[in-house]
Amino acid sequence: MLTTNSREFGSVDYWEKFFQQRGKKAFEWYGTYLELCGVLHKYIKPREKVLVIGCGNSELSEQLYDVGYKDIVNIDISEVVIKQMKERNATRRPQMSFLKMDMTQMEFPNASFQVVLDKGTLDAILTDEEEKTLQQVDRMLAEVGRVLQVGGRYLCISLAQAHILKKAVGHFSREGWMVRVHQVASSQDQVLEAEPRFPLPVFAFIMTKFRPTPGSALQIFELCAQEQGKPTRLESAERLAEAVRERQQYAWLCSQLRRKAGLGSVSLDLCDGDTGEPRYTLHVVDSPTVKPSRDNHFAIFIIPQGRETEWLFGMEEGRKQLAASAGFRRLVTVALHRGQQYEGMDSIQAELSARVMELAPAGMPAQQQVPFLSVGGDIGVRTVQHQDRSPLSGDYVIEDVQGDDRRYFRRLIFLSSRNVVQSEARLLKEASHRAQKKRKKDRKKQRPADTAEHLPAAPGQSIDKSYLCCEHHKAMIAGLALLRNPELLLETPLALLVVGLGGGSLPLFVHDHFPKSCIDAVEIDPSMLEVATQWFGFSQSDRMKVHIADGLDYISSLAGGGEARPRYDVIMFDVDSKDPTLGMSCPPAAFVDQPFLQKVKSILAPDGVFILNLVCRDMGLKDSVLAGLKAVFPLLYVRRIEDEVNEILFCQLHPEQKLALPELLEMAQALERVLRKPGRGWDDTYILSDMLKTVKIV
């Protein structure tokens, strides 16, 4: 019966016909009393005098009356509906009155009411932003302000479309009123509806009238995202509108997820209600091949702290594999944010239970329990040891996390890429053992899991320097087997240039395992040298020098040295790009430009090897980079890192030096035999030849 032309909502004739045709059956905009009572009781006291504008034949006033709100006046522009409501309530609710009245020209004295209640009326008349409509709305809101007492509230139930929110917030904030927008909670039945009544969530505007203060520019904007939650103060009307829009987008996403599976990659952040900071990152993964049964509709997987960077949890393909192996039609993975405190699995489950049900698939039984899964049954350990800001790299953290083998690892994370480990090192067992004992002791005190108490404050000396955490670093070291006579490398003077220091683990490993090596490390960011020295056990020596410079400028300067320029046996690039818009995050594009590659070639020894860490998701760009490298370095090997985007490129100058795979593996084994000699501190899990088994020649 609702019109397809929304402009008719402002017409008296339309509503007269509407209620004549509908008869006495109640029409409820935006929910029933049971769905709205939480927010209504929060902002209306039983003894207050309430005016309901545009009451229609809704049962809301009657139900408020029946639970103790006796002083209610209802007005509507339709004579038909006012007659119906008087007849319906004359005997049962004698104190409640119904009046035919135009809310843009009310007949009440000033300051007659403590609450003006509007359920959908503002939405019904503010159908567009034409001048005539806006003038009508201005008259309505001015009348609302006139009939309210100081301290009174205009409580408007609305879908909060952008133009309505803009008008209401703009009007009352200019009048010096406090503006609060309160999201109305959905019932459990609504959450599980396949076709929700409204694609947008319902909000309540609570506009509180303050006494005018001449010259005051104070404006108060608040958002309350949970029925019983605390309001969050926002700095502007624009930020309030943005926050409402985020919740509308979330509701739309939930409605799409209820309707169908397989929407593709869906991720979202759930934020702390008080601070607005991200607290959880959720990824929704559907497995259409899983055969449905009563108990396999839906599950939640809590990723232990610090493990969100692993392929299984941090990459879309990994999450698909996890969902398929878990055997649920829909799996939601939950990553816990650093900087937030979590008491344990039970408290996380209690916090998330209501919210994640909004992401449940269609067809799930209403009362079914949703299992919460994890690795090992706990939420893991993450200790933020240090946090700072670099002028070049931005905000970063140094954190210690516990791996699946209960060993502890130290990581450097740039917060601009929160799920990318920039550098990683394993802590020695002694430090890990102290951490475990400390953790057990603190568990008895029931302290939060994400607090900085587990490990020494600056344990550079507790780093296990014999262990390479990063697979791409292991592959880069294995590339040294391409040098001549690898079995003699430990006794051969080696000149290496490493561009990109990070935590320093790559040059440090070469320095410690190849005693005749001399290394120049180039790092553009002086903060990273401080990080490497203080937190990752890095130190300079007569064989290890760090140059704070742009790698492009440093190599260009060396290449311009004529006959005096150095010749490096090995040149390694492990440098990330600061430009997130490119499809290549490592190295920056300028490092693989043809003219610059010629400069790299000029400082590489004839039998040397240029080793490059390439991270490129743009296949066309990657093909172009490989072609450019091949033009300068005719012999090019590629080693793809399993379960990662990284590819390690080994570049040499002479194609006649090409090695077949068996020869390459034999050289790697020869080098490893030397490195494994007693007293050299070699990591037994590191098999050099394994790093080269999948190498391909371009």
Side-chain angles (χ1 to χ4, degrees):
M1 284 170 38
L2 286 176
T3 178
T4 56
N5 181 3
S6 59
R7 294 183 182 181
E8 292 189 23
F9 285 149
S11 162
V12 177
D13 292 341
Y14 169 76
W15 289 111
E16 292 286 20
K17 292 176 183 176
F18 176 88
F19 287 115
Q20 284 174 349
Q21 292 175 17
R22 187 172 180 86
K24 296 182 179 180
K25 184 180 178 182
F27 179 70
E28 301 294 350
W29 286 84
Y30 304 160
T32 65
Y33 167 76
L34 289 177
E35 292 160 345
L36 300 173
C37 63
V39 72
L40 295 176
H41 292 182
K42 184 179 179 74
Y43 294 109
I44 308 175
K45 297 180 178 65
R47 294 187 179 181
E48 289 183 316
K49 189 169 185 178
V50 179
L51 171 65
V52 180
I53 57 175
C55 64
N57 64 0
S58 166
E59 296 176 345
L60 182 64
S61 298
E62 298 164 330
Q63 290 163 325
L64 281 170
Y65 185 97
D66 292 345
V67 296
Y69 295 82
K70 303 298 184 184
D71 200 351
I72 300 177
V73 177
N74 302 270
I75 66 170
D76 198 284
I77 202 169
S78 167
E79 189 171 348
V80 171
V81 81
I82 290 298
K83 183 179 179 182
Q84 290 176 359
M85 296 302 283
K86 283 181 176 179
E87 292 173 355
R88 198 163 89 189
N89 290 281
T91 304
R92 294 180 58 190
R93 301 175 183 91
Q95 293 174 253
M96 187 159 63
S97 58
F98 291 87
L99 304 172
K100 178 183 180 299
M101 191 180 296
D102 183 348
M103 62 191 169
T104 67
Q105 303 176 59
M106 290 189 277
E107 300 162 16
F108 305 112
N110 294 350
S112 298
F113 299 94
Q114 289 154 306
V115 176
V116 173
L117 177 58
D118 167 353
K119 185 159 79 96
T121 303
L122 178 61
D123 286 16
I125 66 168
L126 186 46
T127 55
D128 55 58
E129 294 186 274
E130 292 188 2
E131 185 176 354
K132 182 179 179 181
T133 304
L134 294 176
Q135 288 175 350
Q136 184 182 21
V137 172
D138 284 336
R139 292 195 297 271
M140 167 193 163
L141 298 181
E143 281 291 272
V144 167
R146 183 183 65 78
V147 301
L148 271 175
Q149 301 174 7
V150 172
R153 278 91 58 212
Y154 171 48
L155 202 163
C156 174
I157 309 298
S158 169
L159 290 184
Q161 296 103 314
H163 68 288
I164 292 172
L165 184 66
K166 175 184 174 183
K167 183 64 177 175
V169 170
H171 177 92
F172 289 109
S173 62
R174 285 192 299 272
E175 296 293 320
W177 294 32
M178 187 181 86
V179 174
R180 178 181 293 177
V181 177
H182 194 128
Q183 187 168 349
V184 177
S186 299
S187 69
Q188 186 69 10
D189 290 340
Q190 282 180 277
V191 165
L192 293 173
E193 283 178 0
E195 293 289 337
R197 276 165 286 177
F198 300 108
L200 296 176
V202 175
F203 291 89
F205 304 159
I206 300 93
M207 312 296 190
T208 303
K209 183 176 180 178
F210 284 2
R211 192 180 302 280
T213 304
S216 174
L218 178 65
Q219 293 184 319
I220 300 174
F221 305 100
E222 293 183 342
L223 177 73
C224 203
Q226 300 172 12
E227 195 154 287
Q228 301 303 323
K230 296 179 181 178
T232 300
R233 185 70 57 91
L234 300 169
E235 62 271 17
S236 66
E238 291 74 21
R239 180 65 192 98
L240 177 61
E242 181 184 346
V244 169
R245 186 164 59 251
E246 288 169 356
R247 281 150 183 82
Q248 291 169 331
Q249 290 169 344
Y250 174 72
W252 179 87
L253 173 64
C254 290
S255 71
Q256 296 300 303
L257 288 170
R258 283 194 294 275
R259 288 191 180 103
K260 55 188 175 183
L263 288 178
S265 180
V266 175
S267 63
L268 58 148
D269 286 337
L270 297 184
C271 299
D272 186 291
D274 295 329
T275 66
E277 292 294 317
R279 182 162 170 79
Y280 300 100
T281 293
L282 277 56
H283 286 87
V284 181
V285 188
D286 287 328
S287 298
T289 58
V290 172
K291 187 177 180 180
S293 68
R294 174 171 175 78
D295 298 323
N296 75 342
H297 287 275
F298 189 40
I300 313 301
F301 189 97
I302 306 298
I303 301 169
Q305 294 179 95
R307 299 189 61 185
E308 64 278 352
T309 59
E310 296 178 18
W311 178 82
L312 190 64
F313 310 125
M315 300 296 289
E316 183 177 356
E317 289 303 314
R319 290 189 291 268
K320 286 181 179 178
Q321 180 176 307
L322 175 67
S325 62
F328 288 88
R329 289 174 52 217
R330 175 170 291 168
L331 185 73
V332 174
T333 66
V334 180
L336 315 182
H337 276 247
R338 60 181 58 85
Q340 297 284 327
Q341 291 194 352
Y342 307 95
E343 295 294 335
M345 185 64 79
D346 290 344
S347 68
I348 290 174
Q349 183 170 346
E351 186 177 352
L352 289 178
S353 288
R355 183 63 74 194
V356 295
M357 285 305 298
E358 298 169 341
L359 306 175
M364 181 173 157
Q367 302 304 318
Q368 183 168 319
Q369 291 292 316
V370 178
F372 277 69
L373 314 174
S374 188
V375 178
D378 64 24
I379 64 172
V381 178
R382 186 208 315 270
T383 304
V384 175
Q385 294 283 15
H386 181 67
Q387 186 162 352
D388 208 338
R389 178 173 179 80
S390 159
L392 289 176
S393 304
D395 294 322
Y396 66 87
V397 297
I398 310 297
E399 62 185 24
D400 294 337
V401 301
Q402 189 180 59
D404 55 2
D405 59 355
R406 297 293 175 181
R407 293 292 296 267
Y408 282 79
F409 296 83
R410 175 153 299 158
R411 292 174 175 172
L412 166 64
I413 307 283
F414 292 157
L415 296 185
S416 58
S417 303
R418 293 173 179 270
N419 285 342
V420 177
V421 177
Q422 200 68 29
S423 296
E424 185 174 30
R426 188 171 72 180
L427 300 184
L428 291 168
K429 283 187 176 181
E430 292 75 10
S432 295
H433 180 66
R434 289 196 299 273
Q436 289 179 28
K437 289 178 67 176
K438 183 88 166 122
R439 188 180 178 215
K440 289 177 182 177
K441 181 179 178 182
D442 289 336
R443 271 178 172 169
K444 296 176 182 178
K445 302 177 185 177
Q446 296 183 334
R447 294 189 62 176
D450 188 16
T451 53
E453 78 279 279
H454 301 304
L455 295 165
Q461 72 281 2
S462 64
I463 298 296
D464 184 351
K465 299 176 186 178
S466 71
Y467 185 82
L468 283 172
C469 293
C470 301
E471 289 297 303
H472 71 276
H473 281 176
K474 292 179 180 179
M476 293 175 84
I477 295 295
L480 299 183
L482 288 164
L483 297 172
R484 285 185 176 181
N485 304 315
E487 69 278 2
L488 302 177
L489 283 183
L490 272 65
E491 305 303 324
T492 304
L494 282 178
L496 292 95
L497 174 63
V498 179
V499 180
L501 180 67
S505 57
L506 179 61
L508 194 61
F509 188 91
V510 175
H511 176 275
D512 289 355
H513 287 85
F514 296 84
K516 296 295 182 69
S517 62
C518 289
I519 304 158
D520 288 317
V522 182
E523 172 57 53
I524 194 173
D525 189 348
S527 301
M528 292 304 102
L529 177 57
E530 295 176 15
V531 165
T533 303
Q534 182 177 0
W535 297 100
F536 288 88
F538 180 82
S539 60
Q540 300 188 64
S541 72
D542 57 348
R543 295 193 294 112
M544 171 88 79
K545 300 296 183 185
V546 176
H547 308 271
I548 301 300
D550 185 328
L552 296 169
D553 295 337
Y554 187 83
I555 288 176
S556 296
S557 176
L558 292 180
E563 294 300 320
R565 64 176 175 262
R567 295 280 186 165
Y568 290 101
D569 300 293
V570 181
I571 299 174
M572 294 180 171
F573 283 2
D574 186 25
V575 54
D576 70 311
S577 171
K578 305 300 182 189
D579 186 351
T581 64
L582 298 178
M584 183 167 64
S585 57
C586 181
F591 279 79
V592 288
D593 282 346
Q594 286 271 331
F596 183 71
L597 290 176
Q598 291 289 348
K599 295 176 182 178
V600 175
K601 174 183 176 179
S602 74
I603 61 171
L604 183 67
D607 295 326
V609 58
F610 169 38
I611 304 174
L612 171 70
N613 178 23
L614 176 67
V615 181
C616 187
R617 291 175 171 82
D618 184 326
M619 297 306 293
L621 178 58
K622 183 168 77 172
D623 290 343
S624 174
V625 169
L626 292 177
L629 282 163
K630 181 84 172 170
V632 180
F633 300 94
L635 181 53
L636 178 59
Y637 303 86
V638 177
R639 202 284 193 185
R640 175 85 185 271
I641 303 299
E642 187 178 355
D643 295 338
E644 295 183 23
V645 187
N646 302 63
E647 291 178 282
I648 305 305
L649 311 181
F650 306 101
C651 312
Q652 292 188 292
L653 295 171
H654 303 294
E656 65 273 11
Q657 294 178 342
K658 180 175 69 174
L659 297 173
L661 185 59
E663 294 176 273
L664 183 57
L665 298 182
E666 186 178 329
M667 293 177 72
Q669 290 163 358
L671 176 57
E672 187 176 332
R673 282 194 293 271
V674 178
L675 290 167
R676 280 184 178 274
K677 286 184 178 179
R680 295 198 178 274
W682 185 259
D683 170 28
D684 288 337
T685 66
Y686 183 17
I687 311 297
L688 278 180
S689 56
D690 285 354
M691 290 291 110
L692 301 178
K693 279 183 178 178
T694 58
V695 160
K696 295 180 180 179
I697 295 178
V698 177

